[in-house]
Amino acid sequence: MKTDCTSVGGVMDGKLTDELRDEWDALAERVGTVFSSRPSYAMNAPRPAGSELVFVQIRRDMRLVALAPMFVTRLGPLKVAKILGAGQGVPTELLSEDDASSHALWDAVEGSGLLFYADSMIDDRTAVAALGTHPRWRSDSIVRERVPVIAVPVGSTAGHVRGRNSLKRLAKYRRQAERAGTPLTIETVRDAEHFERRWEDISRLAAASTHRTDRTDYLAEQSPADASASAKDFLAREAAAGRLALSGVSVQGQWRAHQICVRTRARLEAWLTHYDPEVAKYQPGHQMMEWFVQTHDELDVTVLDLGVGVNDIKRSWSTSSYDVLAVVGVPARTRGSRILVGLLRRWELSPGFAHARKVGYSVLSRLRQSTN
């Protein structure tokens, strides 16, 4: 297959120039559908100690038309490239303008000899299809999770999504809180200044609600490979760009629940939800979901993406869903490529291997800190 794209190869030194970052932002604005494909998230997502950055760029007439921002780790003698943000439980995608640029992107990655793995790639993207049909790759993909979605066309309300009895029950809980002298107040955080004022409340609630649970406090998680990366920087950048939509529930002036969402054009993605167990009786998750549906016109969105995984709240509100895939790719010229596809998939997805990998990364991180 011939293309009119020219690969400029991979940049392996971990540096992201201001010019490339601006081009990346512009490409994500043109073709991206999820926040994880933007540098604000990708460059702040945790990655293992010792991993290297690589940016595979495809250009047409000097214009960036496809990009694979990845980190590279070792698996014995092999190098495995993963999308920045992999392993964080968010839908991911590679950015490409068309089939030709997607094909050229895999040409470039194959030329570097890297193996490829992603744990939550969106199913209907050209880059996924291009990998599956590329003659120089052995690949496989399996459905990893479902992502529930609420369709909210212009003018629709919560009554179009949930039944009357369900909404009456939520209203009853709000009245109960008000009669008890502890009314629920929902506050919207959308700009950078407001976000900065509320950050202490947001981070404190996230820490408290995940303490002594099996949940990860993603707001406090650090990147072993980059001490400057942080969830706060990601959210602050999104707020500055006008894409943050964070709803917070206060009771008697105390921040007791929040849902953090980020907008990509007409799509609003839910990222994290935390709440104080003391207000669980008022069903804060459902209250915030109703609020987002009711105010979607004001937020200028028509789709509410509820994030990877299904629970009772998502199931009761969603109107549809889509798949995210675990994707494995091995250059066909690699010795034992057919076998390696299965081995790499098992290494990444097996709970036992995942634990071994986590322990290994932790030990490596401590060794590096000790050396420093």
Side-chain angles (χ1 to χ4, degrees):
M1 175 179 178
K2 294 184 178 180
T3 74
D4 57 349
C5 298
T6 301
S7 167
V8 297
V11 181
M12 304 292 289
D13 63 1
K15 293 180 180 178
L16 177 67
T17 65
D18 291 340
E19 180 181 6
L20 179 56
R21 184 170 191 134
D22 290 343
E23 290 181 296
W24 180 359
D25 256 327
L27 180 62
E29 185 67 25
R30 294 197 305 273
V31 302
T33 64
V34 287
F35 65 71
S36 66
S37 64
R38 294 194 286 266
S40 58
Y41 178 80
M43 295 305 296
N44 278 302
R47 54 188 177 88
S51 59
E52 297 178 316
L53 290 172
V54 55
F55 300 95
V56 181
Q57 309 163 40
I58 304 301
R59 296 180 181 274
R60 181 182 292 128
D61 297 327
M62 300 304 296
R63 180 171 178 261
L64 186 68
V65 294
L67 179 69
M70 303 182 291
F71 65 88
V72 178
T73 60
R74 284 194 172 274
L75 179 57
L78 303 171
K79 288 187 174 183
V80 181
K82 301 180 183 181
I83 301 175
L84 290 176
Q88 297 302 300
V90 297
T92 58
E93 62 186 357
L94 292 177
L95 297 172
S96 60
E97 287 193 348
D98 48 40
D99 292 344
S101 56
S102 293
H103 187 93
L105 192 65
W106 293 117
D107 282 345
V109 178
E110 190 274 341
S112 68
L114 296 170
L115 281 63
F116 176 80
Y117 176 78
D119 63 351
S120 54
M121 286 194 77
I122 301 173
D123 188 9
D124 62 346
R125 295 298 179 265
T126 58
V128 176
L131 175 63
T133 59
H134 200 292
R136 299 209 302 268
W137 283 88
R138 311 283 189 201
S139 65
D140 190 19
S141 63
I142 60 172
V143 174
R144 183 78 188 278
E145 288 275 11
R146 297 288 290 174
V147 180
V149 171
I150 311 175
V152 281
V154 174
S156 61
T157 66
H160 293 94
V161 180
R162 295 299 307 274
R164 180 180 299 179
N165 289 339
S166 297
L167 297 178
K168 286 177 64 176
R169 185 167 59 251
L170 292 178
K172 181 184 74 173
Y173 293 147
R174 293 194 293 271
R175 290 193 299 271
Q176 287 177 352
E178 191 168 351
R179 286 196 296 268
T182 57
L184 307 180
T185 303
I186 295 186
E187 175 182 337
T188 314
V189 178
R190 299 188 66 182
D191 62 73
E193 184 180 348
H194 194 176
F195 171 71
E196 186 62 38
R197 289 201 308 272
R198 277 298 187 184
W199 172 249
E200 185 177 346
D201 294 321
I202 295 166
S203 57
R204 181 173 59 243
L205 177 62
S209 66
T210 55
H211 183 58
R212 292 181 178 175
T213 72
D214 59 355
R215 299 176 62 198
T216 299
D217 182 3
Y218 288 105
L219 295 186
E221 191 176 21
Q222 296 181 325
S223 174
D226 183 0
S228 67
S230 70
K232 182 182 181 182
D233 184 70
F234 156 55
L235 294 174
R237 288 177 182 271
E238 292 298 308
R243 296 187 292 249
L244 181 66
L246 189 157
S247 67
V249 177
S250 293
V251 179
Q252 289 185 310
Q254 299 295 312
W255 191 267
R256 308 297 288 275
H258 61 237
Q259 186 169 24
I260 303 172
C261 298
V262 178
R263 182 171 55 83
T264 300
R265 293 191 293 280
R267 189 182 199 88
L268 192 67
E269 288 179 84
W271 183 36
L272 299 173
T273 301
H274 303 104
Y275 65 88
D276 185 333
E278 290 186 7
V279 299
K281 60 184 177 182
Y282 300 126
Q283 296 194 332
H286 287 281
Q287 299 286 358
M288 290 184 290
M289 203 74 77
E290 180 185 6
W291 181 87
F292 272 113
V293 173
Q294 286 293 96
T295 59
H296 74 92
D297 282 340
E298 179 185 337
L299 297 171
D300 196 25
V301 296
T302 56
V303 175
L304 303 180
D305 185 312
L306 303 182
V308 173
V310 180
N311 57 31
D312 289 341
I313 294 178
K314 294 180 182 182
R315 189 178 293 109
S316 60
W317 283 91
S318 63
T319 59
S320 64
S321 61
Y322 64 89
D323 291 334
V324 289
L325 310 175
V327 179
V328 177
V330 178
R333 61 186 171 89
T334 305
R335 181 176 297 180
S337 59
R338 292 184 185 277
I339 297 174
L340 281 174
V341 168
L343 289 176
L344 180 57
R345 183 182 64 245
R346 286 193 290 274
W347 168 254
E348 294 293 344
L349 294 179
S350 165
F353 285 143
H355 177 71
R357 191 169 58 252
K358 184 176 181 180
V359 170
Y361 287 153
S362 177
V363 170
L364 180 58
S365 178
R366 292 193 184 98
L367 287 174
R368 285 181 172 270
Q369 291 173 2
S370 175
T371 302
N372 291 336

